[in-house]
Amino acid sequence: GESVGLHLPTLSVQEGDNSIINCAYSNSASDYFIWYKQESGKGPQFIIDIRSNMDKRQGQRVTVLLNKTVKHLSLQIAATQPGDSAVYFCAEIPASYIPTFGRGTSLIVHP
Amino acid sequence: EAGVTQFPSHSVIEKGQTVTLRCDPISGHDNLYWYRRVMGKEIKFLLHFVKESKQDESGMPNNRFLAERTGGTYSTLKVQPAELEDSGVYFCASSQMMNTEAFFGQGTRLTVV
């Protein structure tokens, strides 16, 4: 069935390195995607979004890439900091408009 | 402007008891969503309100779960009777329009013992 999934459940990086978190989706009807960051004890927080008419969008230290051909989404974090440690979720918004989440990737930043 | 708020932040109840979770969305947001995350797993959709109407409740696990949204403002999610497998973190989110960013509350951690 349709699904949103993540390739790596845990990603460990050194402070200052760049991080890349990947997400695969299979619902070709989705035209809106969001990356959320969830810190311990908090709810998911919006990081960046992208619509299907774009293939790249940049924010402050974060970049989202969308490859519709292979149905792949990635979140790049530049100069990763300890404060970036969290669980990252990608969410797709299909035609039903219900945000659908994958399992999440835990990012661990070592000082 | 206040964000999405949820109450309580934590709840520990015994199996068979009843628990009611509350969500206050951002003022003016017609869309309200309930999600649940069981330890280590994905955030799973439970249901979606548009104002006071249930737009989609396909994610509700069973009839022990009852959600309401009085007057299209705050929402409650009642679990009666609670079972061990209901433990998890329950998130509420709201959005102004469908297909726009959903803002999440901090979640309610429910533990059924």
PDB file of all heavy atoms in Angstrom, chain B residues 45-83:
ATOM      1  N   PHE B  45      -1.932   8.525  12.264  1.00  0.00           N
ATOM      2  CA  PHE B  45      -3.127   9.349  12.199  1.00  0.00           C
ATOM      3  C   PHE B  45      -4.289   8.656  12.882  1.00  0.00           C
ATOM      4  O   PHE B  45      -4.484   7.451  12.728  1.00  0.00           O
ATOM      5  CB  PHE B  45      -3.465   9.614  10.728  1.00  0.00           C
ATOM      6  CG  PHE B  45      -4.831  10.179  10.490  1.00  0.00           C
ATOM      7  CD1 PHE B  45      -5.091  11.511  10.732  1.00  0.00           C
ATOM      8  CD2 PHE B  45      -5.847   9.367  10.015  1.00  0.00           C
ATOM      9  CE1 PHE B  45      -6.359  12.034  10.511  1.00  0.00           C
ATOM     10  CE2 PHE B  45      -7.119   9.879   9.776  1.00  0.00           C
ATOM     11  CZ  PHE B  45      -7.371  11.217  10.021  1.00  0.00           C
ATOM     12  N   LEU B  46      -5.051   9.421  13.659  1.00  0.00           N
ATOM     13  CA  LEU B  46      -6.262   8.893  14.292  1.00  0.00           C
ATOM     14  C   LEU B  46      -7.505   9.472  13.629  1.00  0.00           C
ATOM     15  O   LEU B  46      -8.332   8.729  13.110  1.00  0.00           O
ATOM     16  CB  LEU B  46      -6.263   9.201  15.788  1.00  0.00           C
ATOM     17  CG  LEU B  46      -5.155   8.552  16.619  1.00  0.00           C
ATOM     18  CD1 LEU B  46      -5.248   9.001  18.076  1.00  0.00           C
ATOM     19  CD2 LEU B  46      -5.225   7.043  16.524  1.00  0.00           C
ATOM     20  N   LEU B  47      -7.639  10.806  13.693  1.00  0.00           N
ATOM     21  CA  LEU B  47      -8.796  11.401  13.032  1.00  0.00           C
ATOM     22  C   LEU B  47      -8.594  12.882  12.767  1.00  0.00           C
ATOM     23  O   LEU B  47      -7.668  13.498  13.264  1.00  0.00           O
ATOM     24  CB  LEU B  47     -10.081  11.171  13.836  1.00  0.00           C
ATOM     25  CG  LEU B  47     -10.458  12.164  14.941  1.00  0.00           C
ATOM     26  CD1 LEU B  47     -11.933  12.039  15.239  1.00  0.00           C
ATOM     27  CD2 LEU B  47      -9.631  11.971  16.164  1.00  0.00           C
ATOM     28  N   HIS B  48      -9.495  13.407  11.970  1.00  0.00           N
ATOM     29  CA  HIS B  48      -9.415  14.781  11.484  1.00  0.00           C
ATOM     30  C   HIS B  48     -10.782  15.434  11.618  1.00  0.00           C
ATOM     31  O   HIS B  48     -11.788  14.892  11.150  1.00  0.00           O
ATOM     32  CB  HIS B  48      -8.961  14.763  10.018  1.00  0.00           C
ATOM     33  CG  HIS B  48      -9.059  16.073   9.305  1.00  0.00           C
ATOM     34  ND1 HIS B  48      -9.370  16.157   7.965  1.00  0.00           N
ATOM     35  CD2 HIS B  48      -8.852  17.354   9.729  1.00  0.00           C
ATOM     36  CE1 HIS B  48      -9.356  17.422   7.586  1.00  0.00           C
ATOM     37  NE2 HIS B  48      -9.045  18.167   8.637  1.00  0.00           N
ATOM     38  N   PHE B  49     -10.789  16.595  12.269  1.00  0.00           N
ATOM     39  CA  PHE B  49     -11.995  17.413  12.352  1.00  0.00           C
ATOM     40  C   PHE B  49     -11.858  18.606  11.420  1.00  0.00           C
ATOM     41  O   PHE B  49     -10.786  19.203  11.302  1.00  0.00           O
ATOM     42  CB  PHE B  49     -12.175  17.986  13.770  1.00  0.00           C
ATOM     43  CG  PHE B  49     -12.698  17.025  14.787  1.00  0.00           C
ATOM     44  CD1 PHE B  49     -11.825  16.394  15.664  1.00  0.00           C
ATOM     45  CD2 PHE B  49     -14.049  16.774  14.909  1.00  0.00           C
ATOM     46  CE1 PHE B  49     -12.294  15.523  16.639  1.00  0.00           C
ATOM     47  CE2 PHE B  49     -14.541  15.904  15.878  1.00  0.00           C
ATOM     48  CZ  PHE B  49     -13.658  15.276  16.739  1.00  0.00           C
ATOM     49  N   VAL B  50     -12.949  18.968  10.785  1.00  0.00           N
ATOM     50  CA  VAL B  50     -13.067  20.276  10.160  1.00  0.00           C
ATOM     51  C   VAL B  50     -14.180  20.981  10.927  1.00  0.00           C
ATOM     52  O   VAL B  50     -15.339  20.576  10.879  1.00  0.00           O
ATOM     53  CB  VAL B  50     -13.411  20.194   8.668  1.00  0.00           C
ATOM     54  CG1 VAL B  50     -13.592  21.600   8.100  1.00  0.00           C
ATOM     55  CG2 VAL B  50     -12.321  19.446   7.904  1.00  0.00           C
ATOM     56  N   LYS B  51     -13.785  21.989  11.632  1.00  0.00           N
ATOM     57  CA  LYS B  51     -14.684  22.630  12.599  1.00  0.00           C
ATOM     58  C   LYS B  51     -15.199  21.542  13.551  1.00  0.00           C
ATOM     59  O   LYS B  51     -14.423  20.793  14.113  1.00  0.00           O
ATOM     60  CB  LYS B  51     -15.791  23.379  11.869  1.00  0.00           C
ATOM     61  CG  LYS B  51     -15.244  24.533  11.012  1.00  0.00           C
ATOM     62  CD  LYS B  51     -16.361  25.346  10.363  1.00  0.00           C
ATOM     63  CE  LYS B  51     -15.754  26.468   9.532  1.00  0.00           C
ATOM     64  NZ  LYS B  51     -16.794  27.286   8.828  1.00  0.00           N
ATOM     65  N   GLU B  52     -16.500  21.411  13.697  1.00  0.00           N
ATOM     66  CA  GLU B  52     -16.994  20.424  14.664  1.00  0.00           C
ATOM     67  C   GLU B  52     -17.277  19.064  14.050  1.00  0.00           C
ATOM     68  O   GLU B  52     -17.638  18.116  14.741  1.00  0.00           O
ATOM     69  CB  GLU B  52     -18.271  20.952  15.345  1.00  0.00           C
ATOM     70  CG  GLU B  52     -19.488  21.046  14.430  1.00  0.00           C
ATOM     71  CD  GLU B  52     -19.514  22.340  13.619  1.00  0.00           C
ATOM     72  OE1 GLU B  52     -18.517  23.093  13.650  1.00  0.00           O
ATOM     73  OE2 GLU B  52     -20.549  22.592  12.970  1.00  0.00           O
ATOM     74  N   SER B  53     -17.062  18.960  12.745  1.00  0.00           N
ATOM     75  CA  SER B  53     -17.409  17.714  12.049  1.00  0.00           C
ATOM     76  C   SER B  53     -16.203  16.797  11.886  1.00  0.00           C
ATOM     77  O   SER B  53     -15.107  17.244  11.566  1.00  0.00           O
ATOM     78  CB  SER B  53     -17.971  18.046  10.660  1.00  0.00           C
ATOM     79  OG  SER B  53     -19.130  18.834  10.783  1.00  0.00           O
ATOM     80  N   LYS B  54     -16.447  15.511  12.069  1.00  0.00           N
ATOM     81  CA  LYS B  54     -15.402  14.522  11.821  1.00  0.00           C
ATOM     82  C   LYS B  54     -15.281  14.317  10.320  1.00  0.00           C
ATOM     83  O   LYS B  54     -16.181  13.787   9.680  1.00  0.00           O
ATOM     84  CB  LYS B  54     -15.746  13.202  12.518  1.00  0.00           C
ATOM     85  CG  LYS B  54     -15.704  13.287  14.021  1.00  0.00           C
ATOM     86  CD  LYS B  54     -16.157  11.990  14.665  1.00  0.00           C
ATOM     87  CE  LYS B  54     -16.221  12.153  16.182  1.00  0.00           C
ATOM     88  NZ  LYS B  54     -16.778  10.962  16.855  1.00  0.00           N
ATOM     89  N   GLN B  55     -14.133  14.735   9.780  1.00  0.00           N
ATOM     90  CA  GLN B  55     -13.917  14.627   8.348  1.00  0.00           C
ATOM     91  C   GLN B  55     -13.417  13.232   7.981  1.00  0.00           C
ATOM     92  O   GLN B  55     -13.780  12.689   6.947  1.00  0.00           O
ATOM     93  CB  GLN B  55     -12.885  15.675   7.922  1.00  0.00           C
ATOM     94  CG  GLN B  55     -12.632  15.775   6.438  1.00  0.00           C
ATOM     95  CD  GLN B  55     -13.742  16.513   5.724  1.00  0.00           C
ATOM     96  OE1 GLN B  55     -14.617  17.118   6.359  1.00  0.00           O
ATOM     97  NE2 GLN B  55     -13.743  16.476   4.408  1.00  0.00           N
ATOM     98  N   ASP B  56     -12.581  12.697   8.878  1.00  0.00           N
ATOM     99  CA  ASP B  56     -11.970  11.397   8.609  1.00  0.00           C
ATOM    100  C   ASP B  56     -11.584  10.786   9.941  1.00  0.00           C
ATOM    101  O   ASP B  56     -10.808  11.374  10.667  1.00  0.00           O
ATOM    102  CB  ASP B  56     -10.730  11.579   7.717  1.00  0.00           C
ATOM    103  CG  ASP B  56     -10.092  10.270   7.286  1.00  0.00           C
ATOM    104  OD1 ASP B  56     -10.249   9.242   7.976  1.00  0.00           O
ATOM    105  OD2 ASP B  56      -9.405  10.280   6.252  1.00  0.00           O
ATOM    106  N   GLU B  57     -12.173   9.657  10.267  1.00  0.00           N
ATOM    107  CA  GLU B  57     -11.808   8.974  11.512  1.00  0.00           C
ATOM    108  C   GLU B  57     -11.321   7.562  11.230  1.00  0.00           C
ATOM    109  O   GLU B  57     -11.442   6.673  12.073  1.00  0.00           O
ATOM    110  CB  GLU B  57     -12.977   8.974  12.507  1.00  0.00           C
ATOM    111  CG  GLU B  57     -14.282   8.462  11.975  1.00  0.00           C
ATOM    112  CD  GLU B  57     -15.405   8.569  13.006  1.00  0.00           C
ATOM    113  OE1 GLU B  57     -15.144   8.519  14.221  1.00  0.00           O
ATOM    114  OE2 GLU B  57     -16.568   8.705  12.571  1.00  0.00           O
ATOM    115  N   SER B  58     -10.757   7.390  10.059  1.00  0.00           N
ATOM    116  CA  SER B  58     -10.312   6.065   9.638  1.00  0.00           C
ATOM    117  C   SER B  58      -9.173   5.500  10.474  1.00  0.00           C
ATOM    118  O   SER B  58      -8.936   4.301  10.463  1.00  0.00           O
ATOM    119  CB  SER B  58      -9.893   6.098   8.169  1.00  0.00           C
ATOM    120  OG  SER B  58      -8.820   7.006   7.986  1.00  0.00           O
ATOM    121  N   GLY B  59      -8.471   6.369  11.206  1.00  0.00           N
ATOM    122  CA  GLY B  59      -7.343   5.892  11.995  1.00  0.00           C
ATOM    123  C   GLY B  59      -7.684   5.498  13.422  1.00  0.00           C
ATOM    124  O   GLY B  59      -6.826   4.999  14.149  1.00  0.00           O
ATOM    125  N   MET B  60      -8.926   5.695  13.812  1.00  0.00           N
ATOM    126  CA  MET B  60      -9.312   5.350  15.184  1.00  0.00           C
ATOM    127  C   MET B  60      -9.233   3.832  15.348  1.00  0.00           C
ATOM    128  O   MET B  60      -9.824   3.080  14.569  1.00  0.00           O
ATOM    129  CB  MET B  60     -10.723   5.849  15.474  1.00  0.00           C
ATOM    130  CG  MET B  60     -10.824   7.364  15.460  1.00  0.00           C
ATOM    131  SD  MET B  60     -10.036   8.094  16.899  1.00  0.00           S
ATOM    132  CE  MET B  60     -11.489   8.331  17.927  1.00  0.00           C
ATOM    133  N   PRO B  61      -8.524   3.372  16.377  1.00  0.00           N
ATOM    134  CA  PRO B  61      -8.247   1.935  16.508  1.00  0.00           C
ATOM    135  C   PRO B  61      -9.491   1.077  16.719  1.00  0.00           C
ATOM    136  O   PRO B  61      -9.599  -0.007  16.154  1.00  0.00           O
ATOM    137  CB  PRO B  61      -7.328   1.845  17.723  1.00  0.00           C
ATOM    138  CG  PRO B  61      -6.862   3.222  18.007  1.00  0.00           C
ATOM    139  CD  PRO B  61      -7.887   4.147  17.463  1.00  0.00           C
ATOM    140  N   ASN B  62     -10.405   1.563  17.545  1.00  0.00           N
ATOM    141  CA  ASN B  62     -11.596   0.769  17.876  1.00  0.00           C
ATOM    142  C   ASN B  62     -12.595   1.672  18.590  1.00  0.00           C
ATOM    143  O   ASN B  62     -12.350   2.861  18.776  1.00  0.00           O
ATOM    144  CB  ASN B  62     -11.212  -0.426  18.770  1.00  0.00           C
ATOM    145  CG  ASN B  62     -10.360  -0.001  19.946  1.00  0.00           C
ATOM    146  OD1 ASN B  62     -10.806   0.800  20.781  1.00  0.00           O
ATOM    147  ND2 ASN B  62      -9.134  -0.498  20.021  1.00  0.00           N
ATOM    148  N   ASN B  63     -13.708   1.090  18.982  1.00  0.00           N
ATOM    149  CA  ASN B  63     -14.766   1.915  19.571  1.00  0.00           C
ATOM    150  C   ASN B  63     -14.517   2.289  21.026  1.00  0.00           C
ATOM    151  O   ASN B  63     -15.381   2.897  21.670  1.00  0.00           O
ATOM    152  CB  ASN B  63     -16.122   1.231  19.410  1.00  0.00           C
ATOM    153  CG  ASN B  63     -16.158  -0.138  20.088  1.00  0.00           C
ATOM    154  OD1 ASN B  63     -15.238  -0.502  20.818  1.00  0.00           O
ATOM    155  ND2 ASN B  63     -17.213  -0.887  19.839  1.00  0.00           N
ATOM    156  N   ARG B  64     -13.355   1.944  21.552  1.00  0.00           N
ATOM    157  CA  ARG B  64     -13.015   2.439  22.898  1.00  0.00           C
ATOM    158  C   ARG B  64     -12.533   3.886  22.837  1.00  0.00           C
ATOM    159  O   ARG B  64     -12.371   4.533  23.868  1.00  0.00           O
ATOM    160  CB  ARG B  64     -11.937   1.555  23.526  1.00  0.00           C
ATOM    161  CG  ARG B  64     -12.391   0.116  23.785  1.00  0.00           C
ATOM    162  CD  ARG B  64     -11.338  -0.682  24.534  1.00  0.00           C
ATOM    163  NE  ARG B  64     -10.144  -0.898  23.732  1.00  0.00           N
ATOM    164  CZ  ARG B  64      -9.000  -0.223  23.890  1.00  0.00           C
ATOM    165  NH1 ARG B  64      -8.900   0.707  24.823  1.00  0.00           N
ATOM    166  NH2 ARG B  64      -7.958  -0.498  23.131  1.00  0.00           N
ATOM    167  N   PHE B  65     -12.293   4.367  21.646  1.00  0.00           N
ATOM    168  CA  PHE B  65     -11.811   5.736  21.447  1.00  0.00           C
ATOM    169  C   PHE B  65     -12.965   6.594  20.932  1.00  0.00           C
ATOM    170  O   PHE B  65     -13.622   6.239  19.947  1.00  0.00           O
ATOM    171  CB  PHE B  65     -10.671   5.758  20.433  1.00  0.00           C
ATOM    172  CG  PHE B  65      -9.388   5.178  20.951  1.00  0.00           C
ATOM    173  CD1 PHE B  65      -9.236   3.802  21.080  1.00  0.00           C
ATOM    174  CD2 PHE B  65      -8.336   5.996  21.309  1.00  0.00           C
ATOM    175  CE1 PHE B  65      -8.055   3.261  21.563  1.00  0.00           C
ATOM    176  CE2 PHE B  65      -7.143   5.466  21.788  1.00  0.00           C
ATOM    177  CZ  PHE B  65      -7.001   4.092  21.915  1.00  0.00           C
ATOM    178  N   LEU B  66     -13.163   7.747  21.601  1.00  0.00           N
ATOM    179  CA  LEU B  66     -14.221   8.659  21.182  1.00  0.00           C
ATOM    180  C   LEU B  66     -13.676  10.072  21.168  1.00  0.00           C
ATOM    181  O   LEU B  66     -13.162  10.555  22.174  1.00  0.00           O
ATOM    182  CB  LEU B  66     -15.414   8.579  22.138  1.00  0.00           C
ATOM    183  CG  LEU B  66     -16.552   9.576  21.868  1.00  0.00           C
ATOM    184  CD1 LEU B  66     -17.183   9.290  20.510  1.00  0.00           C
ATOM    185  CD2 LEU B  66     -17.592   9.533  22.970  1.00  0.00           C
ATOM    186  N   ALA B  67     -13.770  10.713  20.042  1.00  0.00           N
ATOM    187  CA  ALA B  67     -13.299  12.092  19.911  1.00  0.00           C
ATOM    188  C   ALA B  67     -14.468  13.015  19.657  1.00  0.00           C
ATOM    189  O   ALA B  67     -15.409  12.664  18.940  1.00  0.00           O
ATOM    190  CB  ALA B  67     -12.286  12.213  18.782  1.00  0.00           C
ATOM    191  N   GLU B  68     -14.371  14.180  20.260  1.00  0.00           N
ATOM    192  CA  GLU B  68     -15.389  15.203  20.052  1.00  0.00           C
ATOM    193  C   GLU B  68     -14.710  16.565  19.905  1.00  0.00           C
ATOM    194  O   GLU B  68     -13.608  16.773  20.389  1.00  0.00           O
ATOM    195  CB  GLU B  68     -16.367  15.238  21.243  1.00  0.00           C
ATOM    196  CG  GLU B  68     -17.183  13.960  21.393  1.00  0.00           C
ATOM    197  CD  GLU B  68     -18.123  13.999  22.579  1.00  0.00           C
ATOM    198  OE1 GLU B  68     -17.743  14.543  23.626  1.00  0.00           O
ATOM    199  OE2 GLU B  68     -19.240  13.466  22.463  1.00  0.00           O
ATOM    200  N   ARG B  69     -15.439  17.449  19.265  1.00  0.00           N
ATOM    201  CA  ARG B  69     -14.924  18.813  19.125  1.00  0.00           C
ATOM    202  C   ARG B  69     -16.104  19.757  19.297  1.00  0.00           C
ATOM    203  O   ARG B  69     -16.812  20.079  18.339  1.00  0.00           O
ATOM    204  CB  ARG B  69     -14.233  19.040  17.784  1.00  0.00           C
ATOM    205  CG  ARG B  69     -13.506  20.379  17.751  1.00  0.00           C
ATOM    206  CD  ARG B  69     -12.780  20.605  16.445  1.00  0.00           C
ATOM    207  NE  ARG B  69     -12.058  21.873  16.493  1.00  0.00           N
ATOM    208  CZ  ARG B  69     -11.495  22.452  15.443  1.00  0.00           C
ATOM    209  NH1 ARG B  69     -11.569  21.879  14.251  1.00  0.00           N
ATOM    210  NH2 ARG B  69     -10.863  23.594  15.572  1.00  0.00           N
ATOM    211  N   THR B  70     -16.268  20.203  20.494  1.00  0.00           N
ATOM    212  CA  THR B  70     -17.421  21.013  20.858  1.00  0.00           C
ATOM    213  C   THR B  70     -17.371  22.376  20.192  1.00  0.00           C
ATOM    214  O   THR B  70     -16.407  23.124  20.386  1.00  0.00           O
ATOM    215  CB  THR B  70     -17.473  21.188  22.386  1.00  0.00           C
ATOM    216  OG1 THR B  70     -17.430  19.910  22.998  1.00  0.00           O
ATOM    217  CG2 THR B  70     -18.746  21.915  22.791  1.00  0.00           C
ATOM    218  N   GLY B  71     -18.388  22.684  19.428  1.00  0.00           N
ATOM    219  CA  GLY B  71     -18.502  23.997  18.813  1.00  0.00           C
ATOM    220  C   GLY B  71     -17.348  24.346  17.895  1.00  0.00           C
ATOM    221  O   GLY B  71     -17.132  25.520  17.583  1.00  0.00           O
ATOM    222  N   GLY B  72     -16.624  23.344  17.480  1.00  0.00           N
ATOM    223  CA  GLY B  72     -15.516  23.605  16.575  1.00  0.00           C
ATOM    224  C   GLY B  72     -14.322  24.281  17.211  1.00  0.00           C
ATOM    225  O   GLY B  72     -13.477  24.833  16.504  1.00  0.00           O
ATOM    226  N   THR B  73     -14.263  24.235  18.550  1.00  0.00           N
ATOM    227  CA  THR B  73     -13.119  24.859  19.224  1.00  0.00           C
ATOM    228  C   THR B  73     -12.184  23.777  19.741  1.00  0.00           C
ATOM    229  O   THR B  73     -11.495  23.144  18.948  1.00  0.00           O
ATOM    230  CB  THR B  73     -13.594  25.758  20.376  1.00  0.00           C
ATOM    231  OG1 THR B  73     -14.413  24.987  21.271  1.00  0.00           O
ATOM    232  CG2 THR B  73     -14.403  26.927  19.830  1.00  0.00           C
ATOM    233  N   TYR B  74     -12.186  23.529  21.056  1.00  0.00           N
ATOM    234  CA  TYR B  74     -11.280  22.521  21.584  1.00  0.00           C
ATOM    235  C   TYR B  74     -11.823  21.127  21.284  1.00  0.00           C
ATOM    236  O   TYR B  74     -12.997  20.949  20.951  1.00  0.00           O
ATOM    237  CB  TYR B  74     -11.093  22.711  23.091  1.00  0.00           C
ATOM    238  CG  TYR B  74     -12.303  22.375  23.919  1.00  0.00           C
ATOM    239  CD1 TYR B  74     -12.498  21.093  24.427  1.00  0.00           C
ATOM    240  CD2 TYR B  74     -13.264  23.336  24.201  1.00  0.00           C
ATOM    241  CE1 TYR B  74     -13.611  20.770  25.181  1.00  0.00           C
ATOM    242  CE2 TYR B  74     -14.386  23.034  24.948  1.00  0.00           C
ATOM    243  CZ  TYR B  74     -14.554  21.748  25.438  1.00  0.00           C
ATOM    244  OH  TYR B  74     -15.667  21.448  26.170  1.00  0.00           O
ATOM    245  N   SER B  75     -10.957  20.162  21.426  1.00  0.00           N
ATOM    246  CA  SER B  75     -11.340  18.771  21.169  1.00  0.00           C
ATOM    247  C   SER B  75     -10.931  17.889  22.347  1.00  0.00           C
ATOM    248  O   SER B  75      -9.963  18.183  23.050  1.00  0.00           O
ATOM    249  CB  SER B  75     -10.653  18.263  19.904  1.00  0.00           C
ATOM    250  OG  SER B  75     -10.913  16.890  19.684  1.00  0.00           O
ATOM    251  N   THR B  76     -11.685  16.839  22.545  1.00  0.00           N
ATOM    252  CA  THR B  76     -11.334  15.841  23.545  1.00  0.00           C
ATOM    253  C   THR B  76     -11.236  14.473  22.889  1.00  0.00           C
ATOM    254  O   THR B  76     -11.936  14.192  21.898  1.00  0.00           O
ATOM    255  CB  THR B  76     -12.376  15.776  24.681  1.00  0.00           C
ATOM    256  OG1 THR B  76     -13.658  15.486  24.121  1.00  0.00           O
ATOM    257  CG2 THR B  76     -12.415  17.084  25.450  1.00  0.00           C
ATOM    258  N   LEU B  77     -10.370  13.663  23.440  1.00  0.00           N
ATOM    259  CA  LEU B  77     -10.224  12.283  23.005  1.00  0.00           C
ATOM    260  C   LEU B  77     -10.331  11.413  24.253  1.00  0.00           C
ATOM    261  O   LEU B  77      -9.500  11.501  25.146  1.00  0.00           O
ATOM    262  CB  LEU B  77      -8.865  12.067  22.314  1.00  0.00           C
ATOM    263  CG  LEU B  77      -8.570  10.648  21.834  1.00  0.00           C
ATOM    264  CD1 LEU B  77      -9.543  10.225  20.741  1.00  0.00           C
ATOM    265  CD2 LEU B  77      -7.126  10.563  21.315  1.00  0.00           C
ATOM    266  N   LYS B  78     -11.379  10.621  24.294  1.00  0.00           N
ATOM    267  CA  LYS B  78     -11.627   9.788  25.462  1.00  0.00           C
ATOM    268  C   LYS B  78     -11.325   8.339  25.137  1.00  0.00           C
ATOM    269  O   LYS B  78     -11.726   7.837  24.064  1.00  0.00           O
ATOM    270  CB  LYS B  78     -13.076   9.945  25.939  1.00  0.00           C
ATOM    271  CG  LYS B  78     -13.383   9.130  27.193  1.00  0.00           C
ATOM    272  CD  LYS B  78     -14.670   9.576  27.870  1.00  0.00           C
ATOM    273  CE  LYS B  78     -15.897   9.218  27.110  1.00  0.00           C
ATOM    274  NZ  LYS B  78     -17.132   9.545  27.890  1.00  0.00           N
ATOM    275  N   VAL B  79     -10.662   7.686  26.057  1.00  0.00           N
ATOM    276  CA  VAL B  79     -10.372   6.265  25.914  1.00  0.00           C
ATOM    277  C   VAL B  79     -11.067   5.547  27.067  1.00  0.00           C
ATOM    278  O   VAL B  79     -10.796   5.803  28.237  1.00  0.00           O
ATOM    279  CB  VAL B  79      -8.849   5.981  25.960  1.00  0.00           C
ATOM    280  CG1 VAL B  79      -8.587   4.502  25.680  1.00  0.00           C
ATOM    281  CG2 VAL B  79      -8.109   6.854  24.955  1.00  0.00           C
ATOM    282  N   GLN B  80     -11.996   4.648  26.709  1.00  0.00           N
ATOM    283  CA  GLN B  80     -12.805   3.987  27.731  1.00  0.00           C
ATOM    284  C   GLN B  80     -13.258   2.610  27.249  1.00  0.00           C
ATOM    285  O   GLN B  80     -13.993   2.544  26.240  1.00  0.00           O
ATOM    286  CB  GLN B  80     -14.033   4.854  28.054  1.00  0.00           C
ATOM    287  CG  GLN B  80     -14.980   4.258  29.082  1.00  0.00           C
ATOM    288  CD  GLN B  80     -16.211   5.127  29.298  1.00  0.00           C
ATOM    289  OE1 GLN B  80     -16.697   5.795  28.383  1.00  0.00           O
ATOM    290  NE2 GLN B  80     -16.718   5.129  30.502  1.00  0.00           N
ATOM    291  N   PRO B  81     -12.886   1.553  27.915  1.00  0.00           N
ATOM    292  CA  PRO B  81     -11.878   1.453  28.973  1.00  0.00           C
ATOM    293  C   PRO B  81     -10.480   1.347  28.362  1.00  0.00           C
ATOM    294  O   PRO B  81     -10.299   0.789  27.282  1.00  0.00           O
ATOM    295  CB  PRO B  81     -12.247   0.140  29.662  1.00  0.00           C
ATOM    296  CG  PRO B  81     -12.783  -0.707  28.551  1.00  0.00           C
ATOM    297  CD  PRO B  81     -13.498   0.247  27.621  1.00  0.00           C
ATOM    298  N   ALA B  82      -9.510   1.890  29.058  1.00  0.00           N
ATOM    299  CA  ALA B  82      -8.139   1.875  28.539  1.00  0.00           C
ATOM    300  C   ALA B  82      -7.532   0.480  28.638  1.00  0.00           C
ATOM    301  O   ALA B  82      -7.784  -0.264  29.579  1.00  0.00           O
ATOM    302  CB  ALA B  82      -7.277   2.871  29.314  1.00  0.00           C
ATOM    303  N   GLU B  83      -6.724   0.147  27.630  1.00  0.00           N
ATOM    304  CA  GLU B  83      -5.988  -1.104  27.591  1.00  0.00           C
ATOM    305  C   GLU B  83      -4.490  -0.793  27.551  1.00  0.00           C
ATOM    306  O   GLU B  83      -4.084   0.319  27.232  1.00  0.00           O
ATOM    307  CB  GLU B  83      -6.386  -1.933  26.366  1.00  0.00           C
ATOM    308  CG  GLU B  83      -7.843  -2.344  26.333  1.00  0.00           C
ATOM    309  CD  GLU B  83      -8.191  -3.392  27.371  1.00  0.00           C
ATOM    310  OE1 GLU B  83      -7.258  -4.028  27.924  1.00  0.00           O
ATOM    311  OE2 GLU B  83      -9.387  -3.579  27.643  1.00  0.00           O
TER     312      GLU B  83
END
